Amino acid sequence: MAMLAAGIAAGGPGPAARAAIDTPHLVVSDATGTLSQGDLGRLAGQAEALLGRVLAFWSADCATDRLGKIAVVFDAPRRGAYSSVFYWDTANGRRVRVVRVFGFAETPQMMAHKLTSAVFPQKDKLIRNLMGTLAEAQVGNPLTFPRCGLDGDDWVRALIEAKALVPLAGLGPDHEAWGMKLAAGGQVTVFDRAKQHAAYAETESFGGHLFRTHGIAGLKRLQALSQGRERPFREAFGADLADLEANWLAALAATAGERQGPAARASALWKADPAGACAQAQRQAHGPR
């Protein structure tokens, strides 16, 4: 998920908001105006620690000297849902990387994903989400979308059984292919939650497959090469996207017997309510918020 913004202050902290807190790589603020300076400091420390895990996983640098610190803005949940978004903004005439975190009373969701997007800015939504969902699965919150307390591979097995799998080549740069659209004010909203969940679960599963077969170096090579050309999968991995997709699905089929229980749970949730499968899985894993 992503969001465009006209300015960091838009919809941001009001008069009651506490002063922003600097960490080595972040500038952390409260858009709700409800946090004490001590609570904001605690969240800032947790955010810096999570970024540290993201950087360690990718063996990457935050590029603070080149791009400046990442602005992390803690905000209220959107329509009761926890999530995070990454976008570029402008402050004092300079572009700023912003990760806005919706919901922080419990463990934030999608924060490792969006911090990865900030560390590796990427226009291609497929490549951006391959890396982001992988980082969330490895060092983030297991309850977060699109895992929702289960495993991306098991969601994909459920999609295959339901004949709802979306070909990876169809997951283009347009938001509509992901069940999303650009709304008034520049915010990206979801119009097809089932399609969005399917698309993101597939990218997590496919990204995990690439990680297991080609390692961190292969994914970082894909990210670097994609800055100058469109979807350079062959240059990065020695095979076109279609062949990599076939290998991924074959690997899932080969291990299906080992995951019958979890895959059956994902399948039952998907069959009952594709649009609500993630929320129901989260409730089963964690109980109602």
Side-chain angles (χ1 to χ4, degrees):
M1 286 187 266
M3 183 173 72
L4 305 177
I8 293 176
R18 303 299 186 267
I21 291 179
D22 279 79
T23 71
H25 301 98
L26 307 173
V27 179
V28 183
S29 61
D30 165 29
T32 70
T34 63
L35 291 170
S36 69
Q37 200 71 0
D39 285 339
L40 184 60
R42 174 180 53 80
L43 288 170
Q46 292 173 354
E48 179 70 28
L50 178 58
L51 176 62
R53 294 195 294 274
V54 168
L55 295 175
F57 174 71
W58 290 110
S59 297
D61 179 81
C62 191
T64 305
D65 56 343
R66 181 167 54 89
L67 298 176
K69 293 185 178 184
I70 299 169
V72 173
V73 183
F74 286 100
D75 208 339
R78 291 195 298 183
R79 295 176 292 279
Y82 278 38
S83 65
S84 300
V85 298
F86 165 70
Y87 55 94
W88 286 97
D89 216 317
T90 304
N92 300 319
R94 180 175 182 176
R95 296 186 80 203
V96 178
R97 298 171 292 174
V98 184
V99 173
R100 201 171 194 100
V101 181
F102 296 96
F104 51 85
E106 301 176 29
T107 306
Q109 295 191 22
M110 295 186 75
M111 195 170 171
H113 179 157
K114 300 308 177 180
L115 286 171
T116 295
S117 297
V119 172
F120 296 102
Q122 169 61 247
K123 292 182 179 180
D124 190 317
K125 195 174 178 77
L126 175 61
I127 297 174
R128 182 170 72 244
N129 287 335
L130 282 176
M131 299 183 72
T133 55
L134 174 62
E136 192 71 50
Q138 294 292 318
V139 303
N141 182 354
L143 284 178
T144 206
F145 175 88
R147 281 198 154 202
C148 312
L150 293 173
D151 186 278
D153 290 351
D154 295 323
W155 284 118
V156 171
R157 293 185 178 100
L159 294 171
I160 293 171
E161 184 177 338
K163 296 182 172 53
L165 198 72
V166 181
L168 294 179
L171 297 178
D174 58 304
H175 294 299
E176 285 75 12
W178 300 75
M180 305 163 76
K181 63 182 178 181
L182 194 62
Q187 184 169 312
V188 177
T189 62
V190 179
F191 70 86
D192 187 336
R193 197 159 296 280
K195 187 174 185 179
Q196 182 207 27
H197 189 191
Y200 276 75
E202 287 179 36
T203 55
E204 188 214 306
S205 177
F206 182 53
H209 171 74
L210 294 176
F211 171 56
R212 291 188 293 272
T213 54
H214 298 277
I216 287 290
L219 286 161
K220 290 173 71 175
R221 186 163 57 247
L222 175 67
Q223 155 68 13
L225 291 170
S226 67
Q227 302 304 307
R229 65 194 79 175
E230 184 177 348
R231 296 196 169 179
F233 284 93
R234 174 166 288 280
E235 293 89 339
F237 302 118
D240 292 329
L241 178 59
D243 292 329
L244 293 168
E245 182 175 13
N247 293 339
W248 159 56
L249 294 175
L252 286 180
T255 56
E258 305 169 11
R259 302 289 303 176
Q260 289 182 353
R265 289 198 294 274
S267 184
L269 290 168
W270 189 268
K271 288 179 180 177
D273 180 11
C278 173
Q280 183 60 29
Q282 289 173 326
R283 283 192 288 270
Q284 290 181 2
H286 185 63
R289 194 176 296 283

